[in-house]
Amino acid sequence: MKLLTHNLLSSHVRGVGPRGFPLRLEATEVRVIPVEFNPDFVARMIPKVEWAALLEAADHLHLAEVPKGPTQGYEQDETFLRKMHHVLLEVEVVEGTLQCPESGRVFPITRGIPNMLLNEEETET
Amino acid sequence: EIKSLLSLFGGQFTNNQETYGKIADGQRELIESYSVKKRHYIGNTSMDAGLSFIMANHGKIKKNDIVFDPFVGTGGLLIASAHFGAYVYGTDIDYNTIHGLGKASRKNQKWRGPDENIRANLRQYGLEKYYLDVLVSDASKPSWKKGTYFDAIITDPPYGIRESTRRTGSQKEIQKGIEKCPESHVPVSLNYHLSDMFFDLLNFAAETLTLGGRLVYWLPVYTPEYTEEMVPWHPCLKLISNCEQKLSSHTARRLITMEKVKNFENQDQYSHLLSDQFLPYQGHNSFREKYFSGITKRIAKEEKSSQE
């Protein structure tokens, strides 16, 4: 699971609503895989990123050099975009967990794939 | 081959080469090189390569888009989207399909091998850089945060014929067809009524598509009863096209394309409207029964005897 994905996921446990975001990330196995740098795509993603959630997740993975927020004129700032590219797309959680901050419910990540399934009683109506 | 595809879709085939990627030029090679016969990872209902490109075309998928398939299966629609330079997400309720485990869909092959999963399919075509993630998830209970970030949703939902329609349920509602798969992590499966599924799909699209973004999906119909009023609608989505593909003498599926034209406000505001509107489609819950019942066989027999 990439950090871009983590930034888009929220718990849908019944009753939590917007307090289900962000999920608390823990990892027991992480890998870094190179992905071709595409500055236009990265620049498009910047406005959609929730920075606090990203910084918290990056911190849990002990990542260094994570920008604290978008720089002025970031669309042309290659250094910034390359760092964001790395953080959002090249770091993958292979084994770990995502935890709902409100209910404590844990969703496992196995072979890089989160399992978000819940029982009927647990989900939103 | 191009001509037969065009007639299949009643000529509603957009040839927007410049903006949406080449599909008319050298199309034969495209379909051949992406053929499901050569694909590493397939399922029982993998989308024909040509159709997956047509769906991507209908979705106006372009470079740097984010595309999502909530019933991703083996990822055929993601491949077509990635071919046009979009970054892709997929979810499926079936743990084994998402992980690439379990029984193979190829003749003479018992189990799926390690190179058989959605990511491997993209890698096969040099498109792995467009792979974002796949998740095991129930499309009726999505895990995406509030916001608009999908440029297109392209999908082929299950019809309940060759793949079952499922969603997670509670222990109390145990019905026939329970899955006992500790590895697949689906606690209980309920029959997912088709009309509920399209209600959820349209609502989800209205909430998460960017303005101008498109939803493209297949709608199964029982032809003798089909009317245009049955096509699900939503106040935020405009119907762009509706093309029929015959499946059998009395069943078909329709390729529906919709575009988000209005921002989603409050879900409660729409549920009253939607439930009335969906009454015509209720009949489609019995699509599965009609497909399997003797009705179609009897009608075919009558047609044959009237021709003699």
Side-chain angles (χ1 to χ4, degrees), chain B residues 120-150:
Chain B
N121 269 349
L122 287 166
R123 190 182 304 132
Q124 178 185 356
Y125 302 113
L127 300 171
E128 194 178 353
K129 66 183 174 188
Y130 297 112
Y131 176 89
L132 290 174
D133 270 303
V134 296
L135 298 91
V136 183
S137 171
D138 180 344
S140 72
K141 299 172 176 104
S143 300
W144 303 98
K145 76 178 180 193
K146 198 163 153 57
T148 61
Y149 32 79
F150 294 132

PDB file of all heavy atoms in Angstrom, chain B residues 120-150:
ATOM      1  N   ALA B 120       0.779  -7.862 -11.747  1.00  0.00           N
ATOM      2  CA  ALA B 120       1.567  -8.592 -12.738  1.00  0.00           C
ATOM      3  C   ALA B 120       1.023  -8.365 -14.136  1.00  0.00           C
ATOM      4  O   ALA B 120       1.776  -8.305 -15.115  1.00  0.00           O
ATOM      5  CB  ALA B 120       1.580 -10.083 -12.400  1.00  0.00           C
ATOM      6  N   ASN B 121      -0.291  -8.244 -14.250  1.00  0.00           N
ATOM      7  CA  ASN B 121      -0.881  -7.959 -15.559  1.00  0.00           C
ATOM      8  C   ASN B 121      -0.392  -6.620 -16.092  1.00  0.00           C
ATOM      9  O   ASN B 121      -0.058  -6.487 -17.271  1.00  0.00           O
ATOM     10  CB  ASN B 121      -2.411  -7.931 -15.470  1.00  0.00           C
ATOM     11  CG  ASN B 121      -3.038  -9.288 -15.731  1.00  0.00           C
ATOM     12  OD1 ASN B 121      -2.373 -10.220 -16.173  1.00  0.00           O
ATOM     13  ND2 ASN B 121      -4.322  -9.394 -15.458  1.00  0.00           N
ATOM     14  N   LEU B 122      -0.357  -5.627 -15.248  1.00  0.00           N
ATOM     15  CA  LEU B 122       0.114  -4.314 -15.692  1.00  0.00           C
ATOM     16  C   LEU B 122       1.596  -4.392 -16.052  1.00  0.00           C
ATOM     17  O   LEU B 122       2.041  -3.827 -17.054  1.00  0.00           O
ATOM     18  CB  LEU B 122      -0.121  -3.258 -14.612  1.00  0.00           C
ATOM     19  CG  LEU B 122      -1.590  -2.856 -14.458  1.00  0.00           C
ATOM     20  CD1 LEU B 122      -1.810  -2.069 -13.172  1.00  0.00           C
ATOM     21  CD2 LEU B 122      -2.054  -2.018 -15.646  1.00  0.00           C
ATOM     22  N   ARG B 123       2.341  -5.144 -15.277  1.00  0.00           N
ATOM     23  CA  ARG B 123       3.766  -5.311 -15.548  1.00  0.00           C
ATOM     24  C   ARG B 123       3.985  -5.976 -16.904  1.00  0.00           C
ATOM     25  O   ARG B 123       4.881  -5.601 -17.651  1.00  0.00           O
ATOM     26  CB  ARG B 123       4.397  -6.167 -14.440  1.00  0.00           C
ATOM     27  CG  ARG B 123       5.925  -6.228 -14.470  1.00  0.00           C
ATOM     28  CD  ARG B 123       6.473  -7.134 -13.357  1.00  0.00           C
ATOM     29  NE  ARG B 123       6.007  -6.697 -12.052  1.00  0.00           N
ATOM     30  CZ  ARG B 123       5.483  -7.505 -11.124  1.00  0.00           C
ATOM     31  NH1 ARG B 123       5.344  -8.795 -11.353  1.00  0.00           N
ATOM     32  NH2 ARG B 123       5.087  -7.018  -9.963  1.00  0.00           N
ATOM     33  N   GLN B 124       3.155  -6.924 -17.223  1.00  0.00           N
ATOM     34  CA  GLN B 124       3.253  -7.627 -18.504  1.00  0.00           C
ATOM     35  C   GLN B 124       3.250  -6.649 -19.679  1.00  0.00           C
ATOM     36  O   GLN B 124       3.900  -6.878 -20.694  1.00  0.00           O
ATOM     37  CB  GLN B 124       2.089  -8.612 -18.645  1.00  0.00           C
ATOM     38  CG  GLN B 124       2.062  -9.360 -19.955  1.00  0.00           C
ATOM     39  CD  GLN B 124       0.833 -10.239 -20.127  1.00  0.00           C
ATOM     40  OE1 GLN B 124       0.009 -10.364 -19.226  1.00  0.00           O
ATOM     41  NE2 GLN B 124       0.711 -10.866 -21.294  1.00  0.00           N
ATOM     42  N   TYR B 125       2.487  -5.550 -19.556  1.00  0.00           N
ATOM     43  CA  TYR B 125       2.377  -4.586 -20.650  1.00  0.00           C
ATOM     44  C   TYR B 125       3.230  -3.346 -20.431  1.00  0.00           C
ATOM     45  O   TYR B 125       3.037  -2.327 -21.086  1.00  0.00           O
ATOM     46  CB  TYR B 125       0.908  -4.171 -20.826  1.00  0.00           C
ATOM     47  CG  TYR B 125      -0.002  -5.343 -21.102  1.00  0.00           C
ATOM     48  CD1 TYR B 125      -0.967  -5.721 -20.170  1.00  0.00           C
ATOM     49  CD2 TYR B 125       0.123  -6.103 -22.266  1.00  0.00           C
ATOM     50  CE1 TYR B 125      -1.789  -6.817 -20.404  1.00  0.00           C
ATOM     51  CE2 TYR B 125      -0.696  -7.192 -22.506  1.00  0.00           C
ATOM     52  CZ  TYR B 125      -1.649  -7.546 -21.574  1.00  0.00           C
ATOM     53  OH  TYR B 125      -2.468  -8.629 -21.797  1.00  0.00           O
ATOM     54  N   GLY B 126       4.146  -3.432 -19.483  1.00  0.00           N
ATOM     55  CA  GLY B 126       4.991  -2.270 -19.217  1.00  0.00           C
ATOM     56  C   GLY B 126       4.240  -1.112 -18.596  1.00  0.00           C
ATOM     57  O   GLY B 126       4.634   0.046 -18.750  1.00  0.00           O
ATOM     58  N   LEU B 127       3.159  -1.406 -17.877  1.00  0.00           N
ATOM     59  CA  LEU B 127       2.321  -0.334 -17.327  1.00  0.00           C
ATOM     60  C   LEU B 127       2.343  -0.315 -15.800  1.00  0.00           C
ATOM     61  O   LEU B 127       1.484   0.297 -15.173  1.00  0.00           O
ATOM     62  CB  LEU B 127       0.868  -0.523 -17.814  1.00  0.00           C
ATOM     63  CG  LEU B 127       0.671  -0.481 -19.335  1.00  0.00           C
ATOM     64  CD1 LEU B 127      -0.759  -0.899 -19.697  1.00  0.00           C
ATOM     65  CD2 LEU B 127       0.950   0.928 -19.874  1.00  0.00           C
ATOM     66  N   GLU B 128       3.323  -1.001 -15.214  1.00  0.00           N
ATOM     67  CA  GLU B 128       3.315  -1.105 -13.755  1.00  0.00           C
ATOM     68  C   GLU B 128       3.427   0.243 -13.054  1.00  0.00           C
ATOM     69  O   GLU B 128       2.920   0.413 -11.944  1.00  0.00           O
ATOM     70  CB  GLU B 128       4.440  -2.022 -13.268  1.00  0.00           C
ATOM     71  CG  GLU B 128       4.274  -2.425 -11.812  1.00  0.00           C
ATOM     72  CD  GLU B 128       5.340  -3.382 -11.306  1.00  0.00           C
ATOM     73  OE1 GLU B 128       6.156  -3.852 -12.124  1.00  0.00           O
ATOM     74  OE2 GLU B 128       5.350  -3.661 -10.101  1.00  0.00           O
ATOM     75  N   LYS B 129       4.057   1.209 -13.700  1.00  0.00           N
ATOM     76  CA  LYS B 129       4.200   2.517 -13.038  1.00  0.00           C
ATOM     77  C   LYS B 129       2.854   3.187 -12.776  1.00  0.00           C
ATOM     78  O   LYS B 129       2.750   4.101 -11.979  1.00  0.00           O
ATOM     79  CB  LYS B 129       5.073   3.446 -13.877  1.00  0.00           C
ATOM     80  CG  LYS B 129       4.460   3.838 -15.211  1.00  0.00           C
ATOM     81  CD  LYS B 129       5.416   4.696 -16.003  1.00  0.00           C
ATOM     82  CE  LYS B 129       4.863   4.954 -17.387  1.00  0.00           C
ATOM     83  NZ  LYS B 129       5.847   5.618 -18.247  1.00  0.00           N
ATOM     84  N   TYR B 130       1.796   2.715 -13.491  1.00  0.00           N
ATOM     85  CA  TYR B 130       0.474   3.311 -13.298  1.00  0.00           C
ATOM     86  C   TYR B 130      -0.330   2.619 -12.207  1.00  0.00           C
ATOM     87  O   TYR B 130      -1.421   3.033 -11.869  1.00  0.00           O
ATOM     88  CB  TYR B 130      -0.322   3.284 -14.603  1.00  0.00           C
ATOM     89  CG  TYR B 130       0.330   4.113 -15.691  1.00  0.00           C
ATOM     90  CD1 TYR B 130       0.890   3.504 -16.817  1.00  0.00           C
ATOM     91  CD2 TYR B 130       0.394   5.500 -15.581  1.00  0.00           C
ATOM     92  CE1 TYR B 130       1.499   4.267 -17.804  1.00  0.00           C
ATOM     93  CE2 TYR B 130       1.004   6.266 -16.562  1.00  0.00           C
ATOM     94  CZ  TYR B 130       1.553   5.644 -17.670  1.00  0.00           C
ATOM     95  OH  TYR B 130       2.152   6.398 -18.646  1.00  0.00           O
ATOM     96  N   TYR B 131       0.222   1.537 -11.663  1.00  0.00           N
ATOM     97  CA  TYR B 131      -0.477   0.792 -10.607  1.00  0.00           C
ATOM     98  C   TYR B 131      -0.370   1.579  -9.315  1.00  0.00           C
ATOM     99  O   TYR B 131       0.733   1.836  -8.832  1.00  0.00           O
ATOM    100  CB  TYR B 131       0.173  -0.578 -10.455  1.00  0.00           C
ATOM    101  CG  TYR B 131      -0.369  -1.434  -9.329  1.00  0.00           C
ATOM    102  CD1 TYR B 131      -1.441  -2.293  -9.537  1.00  0.00           C
ATOM    103  CD2 TYR B 131       0.217  -1.392  -8.063  1.00  0.00           C
ATOM    104  CE1 TYR B 131      -1.918  -3.103  -8.510  1.00  0.00           C
ATOM    105  CE2 TYR B 131      -0.258  -2.193  -7.035  1.00  0.00           C
ATOM    106  CZ  TYR B 131      -1.314  -3.051  -7.263  1.00  0.00           C
ATOM    107  OH  TYR B 131      -1.785  -3.846  -6.254  1.00  0.00           O
ATOM    108  N   LEU B 132      -1.496   1.946  -8.756  1.00  0.00           N
ATOM    109  CA  LEU B 132      -1.472   2.618  -7.451  1.00  0.00           C
ATOM    110  C   LEU B 132      -1.683   1.543  -6.383  1.00  0.00           C
ATOM    111  O   LEU B 132      -0.738   1.112  -5.754  1.00  0.00           O
ATOM    112  CB  LEU B 132      -2.498   3.743  -7.383  1.00  0.00           C
ATOM    113  CG  LEU B 132      -2.155   4.958  -8.257  1.00  0.00           C
ATOM    114  CD1 LEU B 132      -3.272   5.996  -8.263  1.00  0.00           C
ATOM    115  CD2 LEU B 132      -0.849   5.605  -7.800  1.00  0.00           C
ATOM    116  N   ASP B 133      -2.902   1.089  -6.233  1.00  0.00           N
ATOM    117  CA  ASP B 133      -3.161   0.022  -5.261  1.00  0.00           C
ATOM    118  C   ASP B 133      -4.440  -0.727  -5.599  1.00  0.00           C
ATOM    119  O   ASP B 133      -5.286  -0.212  -6.342  1.00  0.00           O
ATOM    120  CB  ASP B 133      -3.286   0.588  -3.831  1.00  0.00           C
ATOM    121  CG  ASP B 133      -1.951   0.633  -3.102  1.00  0.00           C
ATOM    122  OD1 ASP B 133      -1.326  -0.447  -2.986  1.00  0.00           O
ATOM    123  OD2 ASP B 133      -1.536   1.728  -2.673  1.00  0.00           O
ATOM    124  N   VAL B 134      -4.580  -1.924  -5.018  1.00  0.00           N
ATOM    125  CA  VAL B 134      -5.857  -2.622  -5.013  1.00  0.00           C
ATOM    126  C   VAL B 134      -6.166  -2.961  -3.560  1.00  0.00           C
ATOM    127  O   VAL B 134      -5.242  -3.103  -2.743  1.00  0.00           O
ATOM    128  CB  VAL B 134      -5.865  -3.900  -5.884  1.00  0.00           C
ATOM    129  CG1 VAL B 134      -5.654  -3.568  -7.341  1.00  0.00           C
ATOM    130  CG2 VAL B 134      -4.837  -4.917  -5.401  1.00  0.00           C
ATOM    131  N   LEU B 135      -7.441  -3.057  -3.261  1.00  0.00           N
ATOM    132  CA  LEU B 135      -7.858  -3.358  -1.894  1.00  0.00           C
ATOM    133  C   LEU B 135      -8.955  -4.407  -1.903  1.00  0.00           C
ATOM    134  O   LEU B 135      -9.716  -4.501  -2.881  1.00  0.00           O
ATOM    135  CB  LEU B 135      -8.438  -2.112  -1.212  1.00  0.00           C
ATOM    136  CG  LEU B 135      -7.552  -0.904  -1.015  1.00  0.00           C
ATOM    137  CD1 LEU B 135      -7.635   0.045  -2.182  1.00  0.00           C
ATOM    138  CD2 LEU B 135      -7.970  -0.146   0.235  1.00  0.00           C
ATOM    139  N   VAL B 136      -9.023  -5.170  -0.808  1.00  0.00           N
ATOM    140  CA  VAL B 136     -10.170  -6.040  -0.613  1.00  0.00           C
ATOM    141  C   VAL B 136     -11.216  -5.167   0.071  1.00  0.00           C
ATOM    142  O   VAL B 136     -10.979  -4.641   1.167  1.00  0.00           O
ATOM    143  CB  VAL B 136      -9.827  -7.237   0.300  1.00  0.00           C
ATOM    144  CG1 VAL B 136     -11.034  -8.156   0.411  1.00  0.00           C
ATOM    145  CG2 VAL B 136      -8.624  -7.998  -0.247  1.00  0.00           C
ATOM    146  N   SER B 137     -12.340  -4.974  -0.612  1.00  0.00           N
ATOM    147  CA  SER B 137     -13.318  -4.035  -0.076  1.00  0.00           C
ATOM    148  C   SER B 137     -14.683  -4.324  -0.658  1.00  0.00           C
ATOM    149  O   SER B 137     -14.803  -4.792  -1.785  1.00  0.00           O
ATOM    150  CB  SER B 137     -12.866  -2.614  -0.434  1.00  0.00           C
ATOM    151  OG  SER B 137     -13.864  -1.670  -0.133  1.00  0.00           O
ATOM    152  N   ASP B 138     -15.693  -4.008   0.100  1.00  0.00           N
ATOM    153  CA  ASP B 138     -17.085  -4.164  -0.303  1.00  0.00           C
ATOM    154  C   ASP B 138     -17.539  -2.852  -0.939  1.00  0.00           C
ATOM    155  O   ASP B 138     -17.575  -1.828  -0.277  1.00  0.00           O
ATOM    156  CB  ASP B 138     -17.895  -4.478   0.960  1.00  0.00           C
ATOM    157  CG  ASP B 138     -19.376  -4.659   0.701  1.00  0.00           C
ATOM    158  OD1 ASP B 138     -19.875  -4.271  -0.378  1.00  0.00           O
ATOM    159  OD2 ASP B 138     -20.052  -5.185   1.598  1.00  0.00           O
ATOM    160  N   ALA B 139     -17.863  -2.908  -2.240  1.00  0.00           N
ATOM    161  CA  ALA B 139     -18.213  -1.672  -2.952  1.00  0.00           C
ATOM    162  C   ALA B 139     -19.432  -0.974  -2.347  1.00  0.00           C
ATOM    163  O   ALA B 139     -19.599   0.229  -2.513  1.00  0.00           O
ATOM    164  CB  ALA B 139     -18.455  -1.959  -4.435  1.00  0.00           C
ATOM    165  N   SER B 140     -20.257  -1.709  -1.626  1.00  0.00           N
ATOM    166  CA  SER B 140     -21.425  -1.071  -1.014  1.00  0.00           C
ATOM    167  C   SER B 140     -21.037  -0.354   0.278  1.00  0.00           C
ATOM    168  O   SER B 140     -21.825   0.404   0.825  1.00  0.00           O
ATOM    169  CB  SER B 140     -22.517  -2.102  -0.712  1.00  0.00           C
ATOM    170  OG  SER B 140     -22.135  -2.917   0.386  1.00  0.00           O
ATOM    171  N   LYS B 141     -19.832  -0.600   0.756  1.00  0.00           N
ATOM    172  CA  LYS B 141     -19.354   0.030   1.992  1.00  0.00           C
ATOM    173  C   LYS B 141     -17.939   0.536   1.760  1.00  0.00           C
ATOM    174  O   LYS B 141     -16.967   0.003   2.295  1.00  0.00           O
ATOM    175  CB  LYS B 141     -19.372  -0.983   3.131  1.00  0.00           C
ATOM    176  CG  LYS B 141     -20.785  -1.490   3.391  1.00  0.00           C
ATOM    177  CD  LYS B 141     -20.830  -2.620   4.376  1.00  0.00           C
ATOM    178  CE  LYS B 141     -22.271  -2.987   4.656  1.00  0.00           C
ATOM    179  NZ  LYS B 141     -22.708  -4.217   4.006  1.00  0.00           N
ATOM    180  N   PRO B 142     -17.835   1.570   0.949  1.00  0.00           N
ATOM    181  CA  PRO B 142     -16.487   1.996   0.534  1.00  0.00           C
ATOM    182  C   PRO B 142     -15.681   2.629   1.665  1.00  0.00           C
ATOM    183  O   PRO B 142     -16.239   3.183   2.612  1.00  0.00           O
ATOM    184  CB  PRO B 142     -16.774   3.027  -0.570  1.00  0.00           C
ATOM    185  CG  PRO B 142     -18.201   3.382  -0.469  1.00  0.00           C
ATOM    186  CD  PRO B 142     -18.911   2.353   0.346  1.00  0.00           C
ATOM    187  N   SER B 143     -14.374   2.562   1.517  1.00  0.00           N
ATOM    188  CA  SER B 143     -13.459   3.073   2.537  1.00  0.00           C
ATOM    189  C   SER B 143     -12.737   4.329   2.119  1.00  0.00           C
ATOM    190  O   SER B 143     -11.688   4.642   2.662  1.00  0.00           O
ATOM    191  CB  SER B 143     -12.388   2.017   2.850  1.00  0.00           C
ATOM    192  OG  SER B 143     -12.992   0.853   3.322  1.00  0.00           O
ATOM    193  N   TRP B 144     -13.264   5.037   1.168  1.00  0.00           N
ATOM    194  CA  TRP B 144     -12.589   6.247   0.677  1.00  0.00           C
ATOM    195  C   TRP B 144     -13.033   7.443   1.491  1.00  0.00           C
ATOM    196  O   TRP B 144     -14.190   7.570   1.867  1.00  0.00           O
ATOM    197  CB  TRP B 144     -12.893   6.460  -0.800  1.00  0.00           C
ATOM    198  CG  TRP B 144     -12.507   5.276  -1.642  1.00  0.00           C
ATOM    199  CD1 TRP B 144     -13.332   4.282  -2.084  1.00  0.00           C
ATOM    200  CD2 TRP B 144     -11.203   4.948  -2.118  1.00  0.00           C
ATOM    201  NE1 TRP B 144     -12.621   3.370  -2.820  1.00  0.00           N
ATOM    202  CE2 TRP B 144     -11.307   3.752  -2.856  1.00  0.00           C
ATOM    203  CE3 TRP B 144      -9.947   5.556  -2.007  1.00  0.00           C
ATOM    204  CZ2 TRP B 144     -10.219   3.145  -3.469  1.00  0.00           C
ATOM    205  CZ3 TRP B 144      -8.846   4.951  -2.621  1.00  0.00           C
ATOM    206  CH2 TRP B 144      -9.000   3.765  -3.342  1.00  0.00           C
ATOM    207  N   LYS B 145     -12.106   8.353   1.693  1.00  0.00           N
ATOM    208  CA  LYS B 145     -12.424   9.560   2.467  1.00  0.00           C
ATOM    209  C   LYS B 145     -13.365  10.452   1.664  1.00  0.00           C
ATOM    210  O   LYS B 145     -13.486  10.331   0.447  1.00  0.00           O
ATOM    211  CB  LYS B 145     -11.152  10.323   2.848  1.00  0.00           C
ATOM    212  CG  LYS B 145     -10.519  11.115   1.709  1.00  0.00           C
ATOM    213  CD  LYS B 145      -9.291  11.894   2.152  1.00  0.00           C
ATOM    214  CE  LYS B 145      -8.693  12.665   0.976  1.00  0.00           C
ATOM    215  NZ  LYS B 145      -7.354  13.198   1.259  1.00  0.00           N
ATOM    216  N   LYS B 146     -13.967  11.391   2.338  1.00  0.00           N
ATOM    217  CA  LYS B 146     -14.849  12.345   1.679  1.00  0.00           C
ATOM    218  C   LYS B 146     -14.018  13.244   0.760  1.00  0.00           C
ATOM    219  O   LYS B 146     -12.967  13.748   1.147  1.00  0.00           O
ATOM    220  CB  LYS B 146     -15.520  13.186   2.768  1.00  0.00           C
ATOM    221  CG  LYS B 146     -16.765  13.920   2.325  1.00  0.00           C
ATOM    222  CD  LYS B 146     -17.577  14.379   3.531  1.00  0.00           C
ATOM    223  CE  LYS B 146     -18.400  15.609   3.203  1.00  0.00           C
ATOM    224  NZ  LYS B 146     -19.300  15.374   2.049  1.00  0.00           N
ATOM    225  N   GLY B 147     -14.502  13.445  -0.468  1.00  0.00           N
ATOM    226  CA  GLY B 147     -13.765  14.308  -1.394  1.00  0.00           C
ATOM    227  C   GLY B 147     -13.951  13.827  -2.813  1.00  0.00           C
ATOM    228  O   GLY B 147     -14.555  12.786  -3.054  1.00  0.00           O
ATOM    229  N   THR B 148     -13.415  14.606  -3.762  1.00  0.00           N
ATOM    230  CA  THR B 148     -13.524  14.240  -5.172  1.00  0.00           C
ATOM    231  C   THR B 148     -12.128  14.069  -5.735  1.00  0.00           C
ATOM    232  O   THR B 148     -11.358  15.021  -5.825  1.00  0.00           O
ATOM    233  CB  THR B 148     -14.281  15.318  -5.972  1.00  0.00           C
ATOM    234  OG1 THR B 148     -13.561  16.544  -5.899  1.00  0.00           O
ATOM    235  CG2 THR B 148     -15.680  15.538  -5.423  1.00  0.00           C
ATOM    236  N   TYR B 149     -11.808  12.829  -6.075  1.00  0.00           N
ATOM    237  CA  TYR B 149     -10.449  12.603  -6.565  1.00  0.00           C
ATOM    238  C   TYR B 149     -10.366  11.542  -7.664  1.00  0.00           C
ATOM    239  O   TYR B 149      -9.291  11.244  -8.142  1.00  0.00           O
ATOM    240  CB  TYR B 149      -9.503  12.215  -5.400  1.00  0.00           C
ATOM    241  CG  TYR B 149     -10.210  11.446  -4.313  1.00  0.00           C
ATOM    242  CD1 TYR B 149     -10.481  10.089  -4.469  1.00  0.00           C
ATOM    243  CD2 TYR B 149     -10.653  12.095  -3.168  1.00  0.00           C
ATOM    244  CE1 TYR B 149     -11.172   9.401  -3.497  1.00  0.00           C
ATOM    245  CE2 TYR B 149     -11.354  11.406  -2.190  1.00  0.00           C
ATOM    246  CZ  TYR B 149     -11.612  10.055  -2.349  1.00  0.00           C
ATOM    247  OH  TYR B 149     -12.310   9.379  -1.397  1.00  0.00           O
ATOM    248  N   PHE B 150     -11.487  10.971  -8.074  1.00  0.00           N
ATOM    249  CA  PHE B 150     -11.454  10.044  -9.207  1.00  0.00           C
ATOM    250  C   PHE B 150     -11.878  10.795 -10.463  1.00  0.00           C
ATOM    251  O   PHE B 150     -12.935  11.420 -10.496  1.00  0.00           O
ATOM    252  CB  PHE B 150     -12.390   8.856  -8.968  1.00  0.00           C
ATOM    253  CG  PHE B 150     -11.947   7.968  -7.837  1.00  0.00           C
ATOM    254  CD1 PHE B 150     -12.858   7.574  -6.866  1.00  0.00           C
ATOM    255  CD2 PHE B 150     -10.633   7.525  -7.745  1.00  0.00           C
ATOM    256  CE1 PHE B 150     -12.460   6.751  -5.818  1.00  0.00           C
ATOM    257  CE2 PHE B 150     -10.226   6.712  -6.692  1.00  0.00           C
ATOM    258  CZ  PHE B 150     -11.144   6.322  -5.726  1.00  0.00           C
TER     259      PHE B 150
END
